[in-house]
Each structure stands twice: as structure tokens, then as C-alpha cells.
Amino acid sequence: MKITTIILAAGKGTRMCSELPKVLHKIANKPLLQHVYDMSSQLENNSIKIVIGHCAQLVTETLKDLPVSWIEQKQQLGTGHAVQQVSDQIADTDTVLILYGDVPLLKLATVKQLLSNVNDQSLALLTVNLENPNGYGRIVRNAEGKVTKIVEQKDASASEKLITEGNTGILAVQGDKLKQWLTQLGNNNAQGEYYLTDVIEMAVENGVTIVTSQAETEDEVLGVNDRIQLSHLERVYQQQQARSLMEQGVTLIDPARFDLRGSIESLGQDIEIDINVILEGKNRIGNNVKIGANTQIKNATIGDNVEIFANCVIENAVIGDNSRIGPFARLRPDAVLANDVHIGNFVEIKKSTVGLGSKINHLSYIGDSTIGSKVNIGAGTITCNYDGVNKFRTIIEDGAFIGSDTQLVAPVTVGKNATIGAGSTITRDCPENQLTLSRGKQFTLSGWQRPVKQEKL
Ligand code: UD1
Ligand code: CA
């Protein structure tokens, strides 16, 4: 079966009260429209066409990498009018699938089932049974229970308004039939719009059967119209992801306080994640990893037996096996830590490699540096990597010991097993195996007296 998917995404989304077109608003940091695309792109033999209108240019620019055809609907004259814009690109023998760009949680399995209901005598329609069908088109059935038409809320009679089976808007039908019906759409209705839903009645008149199916949950077919619905679907999506991670063996201390805005490409065993952890981008996490509360991780590769304590921010970094990070540590892009590394509180590492078993435990800035193995960096060490214009590298070789409160003015190299005395400002290379320090000499002034404050009378 060859499929043409048409995603309707031309609407403005007035109730979002936003400069941004609705379909670019995000769930899990991904535009609504991208969610719909990602799901439908998993269908084989599928060519995807997206109808855009409001802020069309912004939509295509933002999602320019999607391999789809963009079709502009200059005026939004209704869902039927939107599909008409694509009519000449639909092959007669294609199965046409209609999706909405603002219905982000629709599942592939639901769509596959819908598609399996299409043949040359039937149109497949996804409906939803609602407690409160307000706002939805209603599915009208005859005495035998067969669908005869869809009536929009604004056109519905009092008795039709009582129908609780709603139209999701999602349907599938053969190309030649749809194209023929599209030419017959009128706009003589309460909203003066060309309703796609009118094809249902035409289908029935042509002897085509309407086969209905339902999604698993109402949330799956829920469209986003305002920011309240957006936040609702964000939580639903996050709960689904949390569930799936727990099913794969991850302990989430509280699944309601976990957010994945991206993916975990490789997932080890016995991972424990405390509350308020946010994972973004593409991550890889090894076995026996513990992630403390309030930690934000983006595009990280985390080895086995790693413990990340609370309140860390980690981005584009690699953490080797058996390492310990934080609390309150920041690993910035291109921080690459070997195995058995300890990074403690208030330590920032950027564009640096840290070798096997090295420790940077307190209050340090390490930028543009190459640090060997078994290096100990004392509290308050700063690599002065920037002269205001250029950046320079600091090299600290294996086994070096850097005393506390040292500034290493790059470019500079500290040799193997060198020791730097505390409080030094190092501006030249330090030889191997020796103690180097630069420090004002300590002295005591004898006979000095502290000034005394005169008591006010
Ligand atoms: C539509 C259905 C209604 C269904 C409801 C489900 C029609 C006539 N009505 O109503 O039966 O219960 O969805 O949410 O189809 N769009 C365009 N161009 C347009 C108009 C709309 O691309 O000219 C797009 C919108 O961006 C949106 C989708 O089509 O993604 C649905 O449009 P919307 O205005 O929300 O339709 P409803 O009136 O809610
Ligand atoms: Ca809608």
C-alpha cells in the first residue's frame, strides 16, 4: 500500500495567545508538528505533505530538515479547503491519511489499525467516546449503528449535540475517492467553511462504508488549542516516557518529577534517578548509575558505576566508569573524563580532558586543559585560559599535585609528578618531580599595634 499522509497545520491557534504558530509550540522540547511527523515517518511507503498557512515561512525554516513537501494554504477556509490544496498531488491508488499537526501523541499502532480498515469499499475514521464532547464534530449513526455523517458542533441540532462519539479528524481513504469528493465540498454551514467532515456523507451516498476505530486513550487524540492543553499533554507524554523507562529497569524515585526531553540511546541496568532530573538531547547511560536530585543532563555519555550527586549541570560531556560528580558541579561542552575521576562541588570543567583517577574536588575552574592521570587539583585552582581575546591551553601531566588556590596562567605545562605550592600564580612551565611555588614571603611585624577605636563620650 502506498500512503500519502497529509498533515493539517495551517491554523493560527488563536487561543495560544502567541507570536509562534501553534504547531511550533513544544512538548518535551520538540515542536508539536515534529511529533506528528516522527510518528508518521515510521509508516513504510509513505510520502508526507504538510499544509501550512499561518507563519508558513517560520514553520518551514524551523523544520527545514524534514523530508516532506510543504503546501501553503494562503487563507484558512476550513479543513476541507486545506486538503483541497494537496488534491493534485494525490495519486488515485494512494491511501490518503489525514493527520493534524496539533495532535502530538497519536500512536503508530492506532494509525496502523486505521489504515488496515481502508479498502475500495470503505473509509476509515478514528472516533473518540467522550464524557464531554463539547467542541467536537459528532458522529451520527443510523438505526443499524452505521455512520451516516459528521455534524459539526455549531451545525448540530439539540439531539445531535447529545451524541458523545466525537470526530478526531483523523481518517484514511483511497485517493481517487477523496479527490472526487473534495471537488463537491461547499461552505454553506454555520462557520462558512469547507468542512472535510462533509466527505463522510458523500462516501455513504456513494455506497462506501465508514469503518470506525478508536484510540486507546482520549489524550492520544487530543489536540492542543491552548497552553493548558499543552501542559496537560506534556505531563501525559512525560508519564509515558517515565513508565517506559521503569519497564526497562530504571528506578525513578518519583516518576511525576522526571523529564526526558530527548532520548536515552543506550540504557544500562540498575539506573536510579532521583527527583527533578531533566535529561535533554541524546544521552547514553551505563550500568549502576545514580543521578541525584535537581540535576540537568544534556547530550551526555555516562559510564558504569557513576554517581552524580544533586544539583549538577552536565552538557555535551563524557563521564568515565566509576566516576563521582558533584554535588553542584558543572560539566560544560567537551569535558571528557576518564574512569575513576572525582569532580566535587563548585567545580566547572570546559573543553578539557581529565585522566584516569584524577581528582578535582572543590571550587575550581578547569578550561581548555589536558589533565593526566592521578592528578590532584587542590581547592580553588583556576586555569586562566583567556586573555580577553585568545584562549590558551593548560597541560598538567600525570601524577602532578596542584596546591590550593593556584592560578595557572595558560599557555603553561606542569610536568609529571610536579608539585605546585598552594597560593601560586604559575606563569611558566613547571619541571617534573619538583616543587614549584610563587608566593609572597610570610613575615611578622614585631611591635605592631592594632589601632584602637575611641569610645564616644
Ligand atoms: C475539526 C473537525 C471536527 C473535529 C475536530 C477535532 C472539521 C470541519 N471539523 O474541528 O469534526 O471534532 O477537528 O479536533 O474538520 N486547519 C488547516 N486549515 C484550515 C482549517 C484548519 O490547516 O483552513 C488545520 C488546523 O491547523 C488544525 C486542524 O486543521 O490542525 C483542525 O482545525 P480546527 O480549526 O482545530 O478544527 P475544529 O474546528 O476543531
Ligand atoms: Ca481543534
Side-chain angles (χ1 to χ4, degrees), residues 125-130 133 136-139 163-169:
L125 183 65
L126 192 68
T127 72
V128 56
N129 293 308
L130 298 148
Y136 282 80
R138 308 295 206 280
I139 308 294
I163 298 170
T164 54
E165 187 180 8
N167 172 34
T168 65

Side-chain angles (χ1 to χ4, degrees), residues 65-288:
D65 294 333
L66 297 190
V68 301
S69 342
W70 299 100
I71 291 108
E72 197 170 344
Q73 182 194 23
K74 292 233 161 60
Q75 269 184 299
Q76 282 76 64
L77 303 179
T79 49
H81 181 258
V83 178
Q84 279 172 350
Q85 310 309 303
V86 195
S87 215
D88 57 3
Q89 297 185 35
I90 300 172
D92 287 349
T93 52
D94 278 5
T95 297
V96 179
L97 169 67
I98 306 288
L99 301 177
Y100 285 2
D102 57 0
V103 177
L105 301 193
L106 186 66
K107 291 208 167 88
L108 185 64
T110 305
V111 169
K112 281 187 170 165
Q113 154 146 52
L114 184 85
L115 288 168
S116 73
N117 290 336
V118 181
N119 60 43
D120 49 7
Q121 270 116 52
S122 65
L123 178 152
L125 183 65
L126 192 68
T127 72
V128 56
N129 293 308
L130 298 148
E131 226 162 88
N132 174 11
N134 202 27
Y136 282 80
R138 308 295 206 280
I139 308 294
V140 179
R141 293 179 184 266
N142 65 15
E144 290 109 61
K146 292 217 166 100
V147 176
T148 56
K149 63 174 180 174
I150 295 175
V151 57
E152 289 304 294
Q153 161 124 350
K154 287 185 177 146
D155 302 286
S157 66
S159 63
E160 284 167 340
K161 280 194 180 121
L162 296 176
I163 298 170
T164 54
E165 187 180 8
N167 172 34
T168 65
I170 292 150
L171 60 86
V173 63
Q174 281 192 345
D176 51 350
K177 296 198 171 58
L178 179 66
K179 286 196 289 184
Q180 185 204 326
W181 299 327
L182 284 174
T183 62
Q184 299 167 33
L185 290 180
N187 64 349
N188 185 16
N189 52 52
Q191 303 186 78
E193 283 183 6
Y194 296 89
Y195 292 164
L196 181 62
T197 43
D198 285 352
V199 305
I200 302 300
E201 200 171 356
M202 296 175 194
V204 173
E205 274 163 17
N206 289 183
V208 171
T209 311
I210 313 298
V211 182
T212 58
S213 57
Q214 279 81 35
E216 227 166 76
T217 64
E218 196 180 316
D219 291 327
E220 204 190 317
V221 295
L222 205 63
V224 172
N225 294 303
D226 58 34
R227 297 194 196 232
I228 297 161
Q229 289 168 330
L230 185 70
S231 72
H232 170 70
L233 290 187
E234 173 79 38
R235 287 336 304 163
V236 171
Y237 185 68
Q238 293 301 347
Q239 274 162 25
Q240 288 172 358
Q241 298 194 113
R243 258 195 102 81
S244 144
L245 286 176
M246 291 189 289
E247 281 163 2
Q248 294 172 73
V250 176
T251 294
L252 294 176
I253 301 295
D254 182 357
R257 285 179 288 173
F258 166 76
D259 288 83
L260 175 57
R261 301 174 190 155
S263 60
I264 305 176
E265 313 259 290
S266 119
L267 186 73
Q269 229 176 12
D270 295 306
I271 295 167
E272 185 184 301
I273 300 179
D274 211 330
I275 60 167
N276 297 332
V277 168
I278 301 173
L279 287 170
E280 291 180 81
K282 293 181 178 172
N283 298 283
R284 310 174 69 83
I285 308 179
N287 298 315
N288 300 310

